[in-house]
Amino acid sequence: MPVSFSLVADHVTAPRRAAAGGKAWAPSTEKARSDAGLGQSGQVLHFAADSEIYADGDRNVSLYTIVSGVVRTCKFRSDGRRQIDAFYVAGDIFGFEAGGEHTLSAEAVNDVSLIACRWRGVEAFGAEDERMARRILSASLRELRRSQEHALLLGRRSAFQKVATFLTDMSERSPNRDMLDLAMSRQDIADYLGLTIETVSRTLSQLERNETISLTSARRVCILERAALRDLGL
Amino acid sequence: MPVSFSLVADHVTAPRRAAAGGKAWAPSTEKARSDAGLGQSGQVLHFAADSEIYADGDRNVSLYTIVSGVVRTCKFRSDGRRQIDAFYVAGDIFGFEAGGEHTLSAEAVNDVSLIACRWRGVEAFGAEDERMARRILSASLRELRRSQEHALLLGRRSAFQKVATFLTDMSERSPNRDMLDLAMSRQDIADYLGLTIETVSRTLSQLERNETISLTSARRVCILERAALRDLGL
DNA sequence: CGTGTAGTTGAGATGCGTCAATAGTTGTGG
DNA sequence: CCACAACTATTGACGCATCTCAACTACACG
């Protein structure tokens, strides 16, 4: 199954045909490039797990489309704590930032292949063709919605609600909705949800005791009661 | 669900949500009546304090520029709790949303005047003149950054850090940076920061005891030690 | 087999939420 | 001007969810 992802695509919650944890399906470079939607100028790049794609403060010169793997964008605080803004999976586009410099850094969660697409920023915008302009605007609006939903998730919600929502979201972006292979560590999840690893771990164990999920291994989650998860997430 | 932007002028009557815990005021002006084309000033609309500008679920047909007053965008949760996504002040633009429907509602915090600018959405984007396209993209990227920073603020930060950052932000958007007149209630602040009104109130009192700020009245804050606030916010 | 990293579990501490009482503010009407 | 009501904000006491610290387990890798 090819990556059918379009920049002018659907609602943000639409299920994506993306491999969340594997290279099992990895498409050819040619196909990925033509499907990516960001134009002809792409070059495929590879990053090892935990390597840095760009840093907070770097000049902001490209947009990236993920071919395979998972990417996190994050910020490091003065006290050493890290906060994760988003996870991106195959088919997703990331790298939008307002100014000439990144305000977040992007890192590979596991081994990642992606296509970089140079963009000349807002200044040059409009000189490009219309379809391109629409795609970029559409993608940035989708990012905006994602970010808003993340903010809502972080405000005054219990650990159960956060973890349940996280699992629901990830499963909707995974090829197999009921058998979820998490690419990220507990620390990553904790930093994304504004919790500690201990709380994430305890909450997952509790969900397993409830028979809402089953933890085949630490990073493999089977969703047994999707409805219960959804209700928790509300 | 596909995105559908309409050029049709008639306004969709949306299901009105009863304002949680409060009176619902009728807007003093019909909303979304501006005929203005993209890029031209529309007519000025007025909204009384606490009235609704648009609702979650309304059709997304306009962008708004604030002439005077303060606007909040928010979401109501099933348990009746409200979460505020953003405050907008004079000069700010709001109303950006990815799809054809709003996913947040917008309300006047105090009496508000604003200019509605009909926009024909992503579909028509790029057909307009370049300067306008740049302006819209630029504003939506600014919104994205604001939302990301809000998410970072809500994740794993103490009440002190949240309130300090809030005061710093608001003072930077206010005409007089050291004498801040808050348009919003404690409840608004709490719903924005993911705290309770009691915690907001206690934190402000504590900051006053520290002589970091001075509360001339409940909604008038003098910033005495900006550096201390900034350090707290880190 | 030892070492290192990731994850789980437990016990205790604490920051914030909850509930409740009090105080301040605004508006209305006599 | 005062009295009163309604609303908004402050303060206190207490409980609980989550954090912190620490021990332990599981698994990968040389």
Side-chain angles (χ1 to χ4, degrees):
Chain A
M1 182 72 70
V3 181
S4 62
F5 180 88
S6 163
L7 272 173
V8 283
D10 303 342
H11 194 268
V12 72
T13 55
R16 294 166 203 198
R17 303 175 201 286
K23 311 170 171 184
W25 60 278
S28 76
T29 293
E30 303 306 321
K31 174 162 276 299
R33 183 176 292 162
S34 61
D35 281 342
L38 270 179
Q40 59 291 22
S41 52
Q43 160 189 1
V44 177
L45 304 174
H46 299 280
F47 292 88
D50 284 317
S51 61
E52 187 176 72
I53 297 167
Y54 56 76
D56 182 4
D58 275 5
R59 266 189 65 79
N60 174 14
V61 292
S62 294
L63 298 175
Y64 303 90
T65 305
I66 300 185
V67 177
S68 68
V70 176
V71 170
R72 63 179 176 244
T73 52
C74 52
K75 193 142 200 160
F76 295 92
R77 302 186 46 66
S78 47
D79 59 4
R81 278 179 183 163
R82 184 185 63 169
Q83 297 198 250
I84 291 181
D85 179 60
F87 293 110
Y88 300 96
V89 303
D92 289 346
I93 295 173
F94 66 96
F96 291 98
E97 306 248 4
E101 282 191 3
H102 288 292
T103 55
L104 300 164
S105 53
E107 298 171 349
V109 172
N110 49 14
D111 288 357
V112 166
S113 300
L114 46 80
I115 299 170
C117 171
R118 180 165 295 270
W119 92 306
R120 282 171 283 168
V122 173
E123 301 301 308
F125 196 71
E128 335 234 332
D129 73 293
E130 287 180 17
R131 251 179 63 202
M132 186 67 176
R134 278 198 290 276
R135 285 175 171 179
I136 289 181
L137 179 67
S138 178
S140 78
L141 288 175
R142 202 148 6 86
E143 270 296 277
L144 175 57
R145 178 176 296 189
R146 181 203 56 70
S147 176
Q148 285 171 347
E149 275 168 12
H150 189 212
L152 295 177
L153 178 62
L154 292 176
R156 288 253 274 137
R157 295 170 85 155
S158 70
F160 268 98
Q161 292 178 313
K162 288 177 178 178
V163 172
T165 303
F166 173 75
L167 290 177
T168 303
D169 286 357
M170 290 308 293
S171 88
E172 281 169 1
R173 300 163 75 181
S174 134
N176 182 344
R177 291 169 54 96
D178 292 327
M179 169 77 100
L180 186 54
D181 275 302
L182 297 172
M184 65 288 290
S185 68
R186 295 289 187 270
Q187 187 66 62
D188 285 335
I189 299 172
D191 290 346
Y192 178 72
L193 296 177
L195 298 170
T196 57
I197 49 176
E198 293 95 330
T199 299
V200 171
S201 183
R202 268 187 265 266
T203 306
L204 287 170
S205 301
Q206 189 66 44
L207 286 172
E208 190 172 30
R209 244 169 274 132
N210 294 351
E211 304 196 334
T212 306
I213 63 172
S214 160
L215 290 165
T216 315
S217 78
R219 300 207 182 176
R220 172 161 293 181
V221 183
C222 293
I223 297 181
L224 305 178
E225 292 288 344
R226 182 171 298 276
L229 265 196
R230 186 172 24 76
D231 292 348
L232 266 177
L234 294 179
Chain B
M1 180 172 305
V3 180
S4 70
F5 289 97
S6 173
L7 303 179
V8 181
D10 62 326
H11 184 261
V12 174
T13 49
R16 278 294 172 88
R17 189 183 305 275
K23 60 253 163 163
W25 299 41
S28 58
T29 309
E30 287 282 311
K31 59 180 175 177
R33 278 299 183 204
S34 168
D35 293 351
L38 197 63
Q40 310 208 315
S41 297
Q43 76 186 79
V44 176
L45 306 175
H46 299 281
F47 293 88
D50 285 316
S51 63
E52 188 177 71
I53 297 166
Y54 57 77
D56 182 4
D58 273 7
R59 194 130 197 196
N60 176 13
V61 293
S62 293
L63 298 176
Y64 303 90
T65 305
I66 300 186
V67 177
S68 67
V70 176
V71 170
R72 61 179 176 244
T73 53
C74 52
K75 193 142 200 163
F76 295 91
R77 302 189 48 65
S78 47
D79 59 4
R81 279 178 181 163
R82 183 184 64 168
Q83 298 197 250
I84 292 183
D85 179 60
F87 294 110
Y88 299 96
V89 302
D92 288 346
I93 297 173
F94 67 96
F96 291 98
E97 306 250 2
E101 283 190 3
H102 287 292
T103 56
L104 300 164
S105 53
E107 299 171 349
V109 171
N110 49 14
D111 289 358
V112 167
S113 301
L114 46 81
I115 298 170
C117 170
R118 180 166 294 270
W119 89 308
R120 284 175 280 169
V122 174
E123 301 298 309
F125 191 72
E128 324 285 339
D129 74 293
E130 288 181 17
R131 259 188 30 218
M132 197 57 194
R134 274 200 290 276
R135 215 178 292 163
I136 287 181
L137 179 68
S138 177
S140 78
L141 287 174
R142 255 203 316 281
E143 272 296 277
L144 175 58
R145 176 175 299 192
R146 181 203 56 68
S147 177
Q148 285 172 347
E149 273 167 15
H150 189 212
L152 295 179
L153 179 61
L154 293 177
R156 290 250 278 137
R157 294 169 86 154
S158 70
F160 269 97
Q161 292 177 314
K162 288 177 176 177
V163 172
T165 303
F166 173 76
L167 289 176
T168 302
D169 286 356
M170 290 309 292
S171 86
E172 280 168 1
R173 301 164 75 182
S174 127
N176 183 344
R177 291 169 53 97
D178 292 327
M179 171 75 102
L180 186 54
D181 275 302
L182 297 173
M184 64 288 291
S185 67
R186 295 289 187 268
Q187 187 67 61
D188 285 335
I189 299 172
D191 290 345
Y192 178 71
L193 296 177
L195 298 169
T196 58
I197 50 174
E198 293 95 332
T199 300
V200 171
S201 183
R202 268 187 265 267
T203 306
L204 288 171
S205 300
Q206 190 65 44
L207 286 173
E208 190 172 30
R209 245 169 272 132
N210 294 350
E211 305 197 333
T212 306
I213 63 172
S214 161
L215 290 165
T216 315
S217 79
R219 300 206 181 179
R220 171 162 293 182
V221 183
C222 294
I223 297 181
L224 305 178
E225 291 288 344
R226 181 172 298 276
L229 264 196
R230 184 171 27 76
D231 291 348
L232 267 177
L234 294 179

